[in-house]
Amino acid sequence: MTHEERYNLALEISGRLSREKKDNLICFCLYGSTSRGTDTHWSDLEMLMITREEVPKKTSLDGLVSITIKSITENRLCRLL
């Protein structure tokens, strides 16, 4: 998968989760090599959701691309910061 394809996949996933999580979702972030533009053909896709209420971590595959979506609540993030 190319960088552009991986980035577009991240946009597709973020749009789908935005519709699914609705008011619980505050922010959706892409991080790791794809966000830096240093991803390779075999890179994974790493994303983070900031939510109002806890959401479990999600892992999946899209073809050969491993996708990890972690989440943290707004309150927990504020305590950490």
Side-chain angles (χ1 to χ4, degrees):
M1 182 175 274
T2 67
H3 169 74
E4 185 175 345
E5 290 169 328
R6 188 175 287 101
Y7 184 79
N8 286 334
L9 177 59
L11 290 175
E12 178 185 318
I13 292 168
S14 66
R16 186 171 3 115
L17 285 171
S18 293
R19 290 185 296 278
E20 180 184 311
K21 302 300 178 196
K22 298 181 181 166
D23 292 336
N24 190 31
L25 183 65
I26 295 170
C27 180
F28 204 86
C29 307
L30 175 65
Y31 67 97
S33 62
T34 304
S35 69
R36 292 188 304 270
T38 60
D39 51 325
T40 67
H41 181 73
W42 297 104
S43 292
D44 60 348
L45 187 57
E46 301 162 309
M47 306 171 90
L48 174 69
M49 292 187 292
I50 301 171
T51 57
R52 289 181 174 77
E53 297 176 13
E54 194 168 329
V55 174
K57 174 181 167 180
K58 292 184 177 196
T59 57
S60 62
L61 284 174
D62 185 285
L64 295 175
V65 177
S66 172
I67 302 167
T68 303
I69 304 171
K70 296 179 181 178
S71 68
I72 187 169
T73 63
E74 177 184 31
N75 287 338
R76 182 156 188 251
L77 180 59
C78 287
R79 284 193 308 270
L80 290 171
L81 295 174

Coordinates of all heavy atoms in Angstrom, one line a residue:
M1 N 0.8 -1.2 0.0 CA 0.0 0.0 0.0 C 0.9 1.2 0.0 O 1.9 1.3 0.7 CB -0.9 0.0 1.2 CG -1.9 1.1 1.3 SD -3.0 1.0 2.7 CE -4.3 0.0 2.0
T2 N 0.6 2.2 -0.8 CA 1.3 3.4 -0.9 C 1.0 4.4 0.3 O 0.0 4.2 0.9 CB 1.1 4.2 -2.2 OG1 -0.3 4.6 -2.2 CG2 1.3 3.3 -3.4
H3 N 1.8 5.4 0.4 CA 1.5 6.4 1.5 C 0.1 7.0 1.2 O -0.7 7.1 2.2 CB 2.6 7.5 1.5 CG 2.2 8.7 2.4 ND1 2.2 8.6 3.7 CD2 1.8 9.9 2.0 CE1 1.8 9.8 4.2 NE2 1.5 10.6 3.2
E4 N -0.2 7.4 0.0 CA -1.4 8.1 -0.3 C -2.6 7.1 0.0 O -3.6 7.5 0.6 CB -1.5 8.5 -1.8 CG -2.7 9.3 -2.1 CD -2.7 9.8 -3.5 OE1 -1.6 9.8 -4.2 OE2 -3.8 10.2 -4.0
E5 N -2.5 5.9 -0.4 CA -3.5 4.9 -0.1 C -3.7 4.7 1.4 O -4.9 4.6 1.9 CB -3.2 3.5 -0.7 CG -3.3 3.6 -2.2 CD -2.7 2.3 -2.9 OE1 -1.8 1.7 -2.3 OE2 -3.2 1.9 -4.0
R6 N -2.6 4.6 2.2 CA -2.7 4.5 3.6 C -3.3 5.7 4.3 O -4.2 5.6 5.2 CB -1.3 4.2 4.2 CG -1.4 3.8 5.7 CD 0.0 3.4 6.2 NE 0.4 2.1 5.7 CZ 1.2 1.9 4.6 NH1 1.8 2.9 4.0 NH2 1.5 0.7 4.2
Y7 N -3.0 6.9 3.8 CA -3.5 8.1 4.3 C -5.0 8.2 4.0 O -5.8 8.6 4.9 CB -2.8 9.3 3.7 CG -3.2 10.6 4.3 CD1 -2.8 11.1 5.5 CD2 -4.1 11.4 3.6 CE1 -3.2 12.3 6.1 CE2 -4.6 12.6 4.1 CZ -4.1 13.1 5.4 OH -4.5 14.2 5.9
N8 N -5.4 7.8 2.8 CA -6.8 7.9 2.4 C -7.6 6.8 3.3 O -8.8 7.1 3.6 CB -7.0 7.6 0.9 CG -6.6 8.8 0.1 OD1 -6.7 9.9 0.6 ND2 -6.2 8.6 -1.1
L9 N -7.0 5.7 3.6 CA -7.7 4.7 4.4 C -7.9 5.3 5.8 O -9.0 5.1 6.4 CB -6.8 3.5 4.5 CG -7.3 2.4 5.5 CD1 -8.7 1.9 5.1 CD2 -6.3 1.2 5.5
A10 N -6.9 6.1 6.3 CA -7.1 6.7 7.6 C -8.2 7.7 7.6 O -9.0 7.8 8.5 CB -5.8 7.4 8.0
L11 N -8.3 8.5 6.5 CA -9.5 9.4 6.4 C -10.8 8.7 6.3 O -11.8 9.1 7.0 CB -9.3 10.3 5.1 CG -8.2 11.3 5.1 CD1 -8.1 12.0 3.7 CD2 -8.4 12.3 6.2
E12 N -10.8 7.6 5.6 CA -12.1 6.8 5.5 C -12.5 6.2 6.9 O -13.6 6.3 7.3 CB -11.8 5.6 4.6 CG -13.0 4.7 4.4 CD -12.7 3.5 3.6 OE1 -12.0 3.7 2.5 OE2 -13.1 2.4 3.9
I13 N -11.5 5.7 7.6 CA -11.7 5.2 9.0 C -12.2 6.3 9.9 O -13.2 6.1 10.7 CB -10.5 4.5 9.5 CG1 -10.2 3.2 8.7 CG2 -10.6 4.1 11.0 CD1 -8.9 2.6 9.0
S14 N -11.5 7.4 9.9 CA -11.9 8.5 10.8 C -13.3 9.0 10.5 O -14.1 9.3 11.4 CB -10.9 9.7 10.7 OG -10.9 10.3 9.4
G15 N -13.7 9.1 9.2 CA -15.1 9.5 8.9 C -16.1 8.5 9.4 O -17.1 8.9 9.9
R16 N -15.8 7.2 9.2 CA -16.7 6.1 9.7 C -16.9 6.2 11.2 O -18.0 6.1 11.7 CB -16.2 4.8 9.2 CG -17.1 3.6 9.5 CD -16.7 2.3 8.9 NE -15.4 2.3 8.2 CZ -14.4 1.6 8.5 NH1 -14.4 0.9 9.6 NH2 -13.3 1.7 7.8
L17 N -15.7 6.3 11.9 CA -15.8 6.4 13.4 C -16.5 7.6 13.9 O -17.1 7.6 14.9 CB -14.4 6.2 14.0 CG -13.9 4.7 13.9 CD1 -12.5 4.7 14.3 CD2 -14.8 3.8 14.8
S18 N -16.3 8.7 13.2 CA -16.9 10.0 13.5 C -18.5 9.8 13.5 O -19.2 10.3 14.4 CB -16.5 11.1 12.6 OG -15.2 11.4 12.8
R19 N -18.9 9.2 12.4 CA -20.4 8.9 12.3 C -20.9 7.9 13.4 O -21.9 8.1 14.0 CB -20.7 8.4 10.9 CG -20.6 9.5 9.9 CD -21.1 9.0 8.5 NE -20.3 7.9 8.0 CZ -19.1 8.0 7.3 NH1 -18.6 9.2 7.1 NH2 -18.5 6.9 6.9
E20 N -20.0 6.9 13.7 CA -20.4 5.9 14.7 C -20.4 6.4 16.1 O -21.3 6.2 16.9 CB -19.4 4.7 14.5 CG -19.6 3.6 15.5 CD -18.5 2.6 15.3 OE1 -18.2 2.1 14.2 OE2 -18.0 2.1 16.4
K21 N -19.4 7.2 16.5 CA -19.2 7.7 17.8 C -19.9 9.0 18.1 O -20.1 9.3 19.3 CB -17.7 7.9 18.2 CG -16.9 6.6 18.0 CD -17.3 5.5 18.9 CE -16.5 4.2 18.6 NZ -17.1 3.1 19.2
K22 N -20.3 9.7 17.1 CA -21.1 10.9 17.2 C -20.5 11.9 18.3 O -19.4 12.3 18.2 CB -22.5 10.6 17.4 CG -23.1 9.9 16.2 CD -24.5 9.6 16.4 CE -25.0 8.8 15.1 NZ -26.3 8.2 15.3
D23 N -21.4 12.2 19.3 CA -21.0 13.2 20.3 C -19.9 12.7 21.3 O -19.4 13.5 22.0 CB -22.2 13.6 21.1 CG -23.2 14.4 20.3 OD1 -22.8 15.0 19.3 OD2 -24.4 14.4 20.6
N24 N -19.6 11.4 21.3 CA -18.6 10.9 22.2 C -17.2 11.2 21.7 O -16.2 11.3 22.4 CB -18.7 9.3 22.4 CG -17.8 8.8 23.4 OD1 -17.5 9.5 24.4 ND2 -17.4 7.6 23.3
L25 N -17.0 11.4 20.4 CA -15.7 11.7 19.8 C -15.4 13.2 19.8 O -16.2 14.0 19.4 CB -15.7 11.2 18.3 CG -14.4 11.4 17.6 CD1 -13.3 10.5 18.2 CD2 -14.6 11.0 16.1
I26 N -14.2 13.5 20.4 CA -13.8 14.9 20.4 C -12.8 15.2 19.3 O -12.8 16.2 18.6 CB -13.1 15.2 21.8 CG1 -14.2 15.1 22.9 CG2 -12.5 16.6 21.8 CD1 -13.7 15.1 24.3
C27 N -11.8 14.2 19.2 CA -10.7 14.4 18.2 C -10.2 13.1 17.7 O -10.2 12.1 18.4 CB -9.6 15.2 18.9 SG -8.2 15.5 17.9
F28 N -9.8 13.1 16.5 CA -9.3 11.9 15.9 C -7.9 12.2 15.3 O -7.8 13.2 14.5 CB -10.2 11.4 14.8 CG -10.1 9.9 14.5 CD1 -10.8 9.0 15.2 CD2 -9.3 9.5 13.5 CE1 -10.8 7.7 14.9 CE2 -9.2 8.1 13.2 CZ -9.9 7.2 13.9
C29 N -6.9 11.5 15.7 CA -5.5 11.8 15.3 C -4.8 10.6 14.6 O -5.0 9.5 15.0 CB -4.7 12.2 16.5 SG -5.4 13.4 17.5
L30 N -4.0 10.9 13.6 CA -3.2 10.0 13.0 C -1.8 10.2 13.5 O -1.3 11.4 13.6 CB -3.2 10.2 11.5 CG -2.3 9.4 10.6 CD1 -2.7 7.9 10.6 CD2 -2.4 9.9 9.1
Y31 N -1.1 9.2 13.9 CA 0.3 9.3 14.4 C 1.2 8.2 13.8 O 0.7 7.3 13.1 CB 0.4 9.4 15.9 CG 0.0 8.1 16.6 CD1 1.0 7.3 17.0 CD2 -1.3 7.8 16.9 CE1 0.7 6.1 17.7 CE2 -1.6 6.6 17.6 CZ -0.6 5.8 18.0 OH -0.9 4.6 18.6
G32 N 2.5 8.3 14.0 CA 3.4 7.3 13.5 C 3.9 7.6 12.2 O 3.8 8.8 11.7
S33 N 4.4 6.6 11.5 CA 5.1 6.9 10.2 C 4.2 7.4 9.1 O 4.7 8.2 8.3 CB 5.8 5.6 9.7 OG 4.8 4.6 9.5
T34 N 3.0 7.0 9.1 CA 2.1 7.6 8.1 C 1.9 9.1 8.3 O 1.8 9.8 7.3 CB 0.7 6.8 8.1 OG1 0.9 5.4 8.0 CG2 -0.2 7.3 7.0
S35 N 1.7 9.5 9.5 CA 1.6 11.0 9.8 C 2.8 11.8 9.4 O 2.7 12.9 9.0 CB 1.2 11.3 11.2 OG 2.2 11.0 12.1
R36 N 4.0 11.1 9.5 CA 5.2 11.8 9.2 C 5.6 11.7 7.7 O 6.5 12.3 7.3 CB 6.4 11.2 10.0 CG 6.3 11.4 11.5 CD 7.6 10.9 12.2 NE 7.9 9.5 12.0 CZ 7.4 8.5 12.7 NH1 6.7 8.8 13.8 NH2 7.8 7.3 12.5
G37 N 4.9 10.8 7.0 CA 5.2 10.6 5.6 C 6.4 9.7 5.4 O 7.0 9.7 4.3
T38 N 6.8 8.9 6.4 CA 7.9 8.0 6.3 C 7.5 6.6 6.3 O 8.4 5.7 6.4 CB 8.9 8.3 7.5 OG1 8.2 8.0 8.7 CG2 9.5 9.7 7.5
D39 N 6.2 6.3 6.1 CA 5.7 5.0 6.0 C 6.3 4.2 4.8 O 6.6 4.9 3.8 CB 4.2 4.9 6.0 CG 3.6 5.9 5.0 OD1 4.1 6.9 4.7 OD2 2.5 5.5 4.4
T40 N 6.4 2.9 4.9 CA 6.8 2.1 3.8 C 5.6 1.2 3.3 O 4.6 1.2 3.9 CB 8.0 1.2 4.2 OG1 7.5 0.3 5.2 CG2 9.1 2.0 4.7
H41 N 5.9 0.4 2.4 CA 4.9 -0.5 1.8 C 4.3 -1.4 3.0 O 3.1 -1.8 2.9 CB 5.5 -1.4 0.7 CG 4.5 -2.4 0.1 ND1 3.5 -2.0 -0.7 CD2 4.4 -3.7 0.3 CE1 2.8 -3.0 -1.1 NE2 3.4 -4.1 -0.5
W42 N 5.1 -1.7 4.0 CA 4.7 -2.7 5.0 C 4.3 -2.0 6.3 O 4.0 -2.6 7.3 CB 5.8 -3.7 5.3 CG 6.0 -4.5 4.1 CD1 7.1 -4.4 3.2 CD2 5.2 -5.5 3.6 NE1 6.9 -5.3 2.2 CE2 5.8 -6.1 2.4 CE3 3.9 -6.1 4.0 CZ2 5.2 -7.1 1.7 CZ3 3.4 -7.1 3.2 CH2 4.0 -7.6 2.1
S43 N 4.2 -0.6 6.4 CA 3.9 0.1 7.6 C 2.5 -0.2 8.1 O 1.6 -0.4 7.3 CB 4.1 1.6 7.4 OG 5.5 1.9 7.2
D44 N 2.3 -0.1 9.4 CA 1.0 -0.2 9.9 C 0.3 1.2 10.0 O 0.9 2.2 9.6 CB 1.0 -0.8 11.3 CG 1.8 0.0 12.3 OD1 2.6 0.9 11.9 OD2 1.7 -0.3 13.5
L45 N -0.9 1.3 10.4 CA -1.7 2.5 10.5 C -2.0 2.7 12.0 O -2.7 1.8 12.6 CB -2.9 2.4 9.6 CG -3.7 3.7 9.5 CD1 -2.9 4.8 8.9 CD2 -4.9 3.4 8.5
E46 N -1.6 3.8 12.6 CA -1.8 4.1 14.0 C -2.6 5.3 14.2 O -2.3 6.4 13.6 CB -0.4 4.2 14.7 CG 0.4 3.0 14.6 CD 1.9 3.3 14.8 OE1 2.4 4.3 14.3 OE2 2.5 2.6 15.7
M47 N -3.7 5.2 14.9 CA -4.6 6.3 15.1 C -5.0 6.4 16.6 O -5.0 5.4 17.3 CB -5.9 6.1 14.2 CG -5.5 5.8 12.8 SD -6.8 5.3 11.7 CE -7.4 6.9 11.2
L48 N -5.5 7.6 17.0 CA -5.9 7.8 18.4 C -7.2 8.6 18.4 O -7.3 9.6 17.6 CB -4.8 8.6 19.1 CG -5.1 9.1 20.5 CD1 -5.2 7.9 21.4 CD2 -4.1 10.1 21.0
M49 N -8.1 8.2 19.2 CA -9.3 8.9 19.4 C -9.3 9.5 20.8 O -9.0 8.9 21.8 CB -10.6 8.0 19.3 CG -10.9 7.4 18.0 SD -12.4 6.5 18.0 CE -12.0 5.1 19.1
I50 N -9.7 10.8 20.9 CA -9.9 11.4 22.2 C -11.5 11.5 22.3 O -12.2 12.0 21.5 CB -9.3 12.8 22.3 CG1 -7.8 12.7 22.1 CG2 -9.6 13.5 23.6 CD1 -7.1 14.0 21.9
T51 N -11.9 10.8 23.4 CA -13.4 10.7 23.6 C -13.8 11.2 24.9 O -13.0 11.4 25.9 CB -13.8 9.2 23.5 OG1 -13.0 8.4 24.4 CG2 -13.5 8.7 22.1
R52 N -15.1 11.4 25.1 CA -15.7 11.8 26.3 C -15.8 10.6 27.3 O -15.6 10.7 28.4 CB -17.1 12.5 26.1 CG -17.0 13.8 25.5 CD -18.3 14.5 25.3 NE -18.2 15.8 24.8 CZ -17.9 16.2 23.5 NH1 -17.7 15.2 22.6 NH2 -17.7 17.4 23.1
E53 N -16.3 9.5 26.7 CA -16.4 8.2 27.5 C -15.4 7.2 26.9 O -15.1 7.2 25.8 CB -17.8 7.7 27.4 CG -18.8 8.7 28.0 CD -20.3 8.2 27.9 OE1 -20.5 7.0 27.5 OE2 -21.2 9.0 28.1
E54 N -15.0 6.3 27.8 CA -14.1 5.2 27.4 C -14.5 4.4 26.2 O -15.7 4.0 26.1 CB -13.8 4.4 28.6 CG -12.5 3.5 28.4 CD -12.1 2.8 29.6 OE1 -12.3 3.4 30.7 OE2 -11.5 1.8 29.5
V55 N -13.6 4.1 25.3 CA -13.9 3.3 24.1 C -12.7 2.3 24.1 O -11.6 2.7 24.2 CB -13.9 4.1 22.8 CG1 -14.0 3.3 21.6 CG2 -15.0 5.2 22.9
P56 N -13.0 1.0 23.9 CA -12.0 0.0 23.8 C -11.1 0.2 22.6 O -11.5 0.7 21.5 CB -12.7 -1.3 23.8 CG -14.1 -1.0 23.4 CD -14.4 0.4 23.7
K57 N -9.8 -0.2 22.7 CA -8.8 -0.2 21.6 C -9.4 -1.2 20.5 O -10.0 -2.2 20.8 CB -7.5 -0.7 22.2 CG -6.4 -0.9 21.2 CD -5.2 -1.5 21.8 CE -4.2 -2.0 20.9 NZ -3.0 -2.5 21.5
K58 N -9.1 -0.8 19.3 CA -9.5 -1.6 18.1 C -8.3 -1.9 17.3 O -7.5 -1.1 17.1 CB -10.5 -0.8 17.3 CG -11.9 -0.6 17.9 CD -12.8 0.1 16.9 CE -14.2 0.3 17.5 NZ -15.2 0.6 16.5
T59 N -8.2 -3.2 16.9 CA -7.2 -3.6 16.0 C -7.9 -4.4 14.9 O -8.8 -5.1 15.1 CB -6.1 -4.5 16.7 OG1 -6.8 -5.6 17.2 CG2 -5.4 -3.7 17.7
S60 N -7.3 -4.2 13.7 CA -7.9 -4.9 12.5 C -6.9 -4.9 11.4 O -5.8 -4.4 11.5 CB -9.2 -4.2 12.0 OG -8.9 -2.9 11.6
L61 N -7.2 -5.6 10.3 CA -6.4 -5.6 9.1 C -7.2 -5.1 7.9 O -8.4 -5.4 7.8 CB -6.0 -7.1 8.8 CG -4.9 -7.7 9.7 CD1 -4.7 -9.2 9.3 CD2 -3.6 -6.9 9.5
D62 N -6.5 -4.4 7.1 CA -7.1 -4.0 5.8 C -6.1 -4.5 4.8 O -5.1 -3.9 4.5 CB -7.3 -2.5 5.7 CG -8.0 -2.1 4.4 OD1 -7.4 -2.2 3.3 OD2 -9.2 -1.8 4.5
G63 N -6.4 -5.7 4.2 CA -5.4 -6.3 3.3 C -4.3 -6.8 4.2 O -4.5 -7.5 5.2
L64 N -3.1 -6.3 3.9 CA -1.9 -6.6 4.8 C -1.6 -5.5 5.7 O -0.5 -5.5 6.4 CB -0.7 -6.9 3.8 CG -0.9 -8.2 3.0 CD1 0.3 -8.3 2.1 CD2 -1.1 -9.4 3.9
V65 N -2.4 -4.4 5.8 CA -2.1 -3.3 6.7 C -2.7 -3.5 8.0 O -4.0 -3.6 8.2 CB -2.6 -2.0 6.1 CG1 -2.4 -0.8 7.0 CG2 -1.9 -1.7 4.7
S66 N -1.9 -3.5 9.1 CA -2.4 -3.6 10.4 C -2.8 -2.3 10.9 O -2.1 -1.3 10.7 CB -1.2 -4.1 11.3 OG -1.6 -4.0 12.7
I67 N -4.1 -2.2 11.5 CA -4.6 -0.9 11.9 C -4.9 -1.0 13.4 O -5.5 -1.9 13.9 CB -6.0 -0.7 11.2 CG1 -5.8 -0.6 9.7 CG2 -6.6 0.6 11.7 CD1 -7.0 -0.7 8.9
T68 N -4.3 0.0 14.1 CA -4.5 0.1 15.6 C -5.2 1.4 15.9 O -4.7 2.5 15.4 CB -3.2 0.0 16.3 OG1 -2.6 -1.3 16.0 CG2 -3.4 0.0 17.8
I69 N -6.3 1.4 16.6 CA -7.0 2.6 17.0 C -7.1 2.6 18.5 O -7.8 1.8 19.1 CB -8.4 2.7 16.3 CG1 -8.3 2.6 14.8 CG2 -9.1 4.0 16.8 CD1 -9.6 2.5 14.1
K70 N -6.3 3.4 19.1 CA -6.3 3.6 20.5 C -7.2 4.7 20.9 O -7.5 5.6 20.1 CB -4.9 3.8 21.1 CG -4.0 2.7 20.8 CD -2.6 3.0 21.3 CE -1.6 1.8 21.0 NZ -0.3 2.1 21.5
S71 N -7.7 4.7 22.2 CA -8.5 5.9 22.6 C -8.1 6.3 24.0 O -7.6 5.4 24.8 CB -10.0 5.5 22.5 OG -10.3 4.5 23.5
I72 N -8.3 7.5 24.3 CA -8.1 8.0 25.7 C -9.3 9.0 25.9 O -9.7 9.7 25.0 CB -6.7 8.7 25.8 CG1 -6.5 9.1 27.3 CG2 -6.6 9.8 24.9 CD1 -5.0 9.5 27.5
T73 N -9.8 9.0 27.1 CA -10.8 10.0 27.5 C -10.2 11.4 27.7 O -9.1 11.5 28.0 CB -11.6 9.6 28.7 OG1 -10.7 9.6 29.8 CG2 -12.3 8.2 28.6
E74 N -11.0 12.3 27.4 CA -10.6 13.7 27.6 C -10.2 14.0 29.0 O -9.1 14.6 29.2 CB -11.8 14.7 27.3 CG -11.6 16.1 27.5 CD -12.8 16.9 27.2 OE1 -14.0 16.4 27.5 OE2 -12.7 18.1 26.8
N75 N -10.9 13.4 30.0 CA -10.5 13.6 31.4 C -9.2 13.0 31.7 O -8.3 13.6 32.4 CB -11.6 13.0 32.3 CG -12.8 13.8 32.4 OD1 -12.8 15.0 32.0 ND2 -13.9 13.2 32.7
R76 N -8.9 11.8 31.2 CA -7.6 11.1 31.5 C -6.5 11.9 30.8 O -5.4 12.1 31.4 CB -7.7 9.7 31.0 CG -6.4 9.0 31.3 CD -6.6 7.5 31.3 NE -5.3 6.9 31.8 CZ -4.5 6.2 31.0 NH1 -4.8 5.9 29.8 NH2 -3.4 5.6 31.5
L77 N -6.7 12.4 29.6 CA -5.7 13.1 28.9 C -5.4 14.4 29.7 O -4.2 14.8 29.9 CB -6.1 13.5 27.5 CG -5.2 14.3 26.6 CD1 -3.8 13.5 26.5 CD2 -5.8 14.6 25.3
C78 N -6.4 15.1 30.2 CA -6.2 16.3 30.9 C -5.4 16.1 32.2 O -4.5 16.8 32.6 CB -7.5 17.0 31.3 SG -8.3 17.8 29.8
R79 N -5.7 14.9 32.9 CA -4.9 14.6 34.1 C -3.5 14.3 33.8 O -2.6 14.7 34.5 CB -5.5 13.4 34.8 CG -6.8 13.7 35.5 CD -7.3 12.5 36.5 NE -7.3 11.2 35.8 CZ -8.4 10.7 35.2 NH1 -9.5 11.5 35.2 NH2 -8.4 9.5 34.7
L80 N -3.2 13.6 32.6 CA -1.8 13.3 32.2 C -1.1 14.6 31.9 O 0.1 14.7 32.1 CB -1.8 12.4 31.0 CG -2.3 11.0 31.3 CD1 -2.4 10.2 30.0 CD2 -1.3 10.3 32.3
L81 N -1.8 15.6 31.3 CA -1.1 16.8 30.9 C -0.9 17.7 32.0 O -0.1 18.5 32.1 CB -1.9 17.5 29.8 CG -2.0 16.7 28.5 CD1 -2.9 17.4 27.5 CD2 -0.6 16.5 27.8

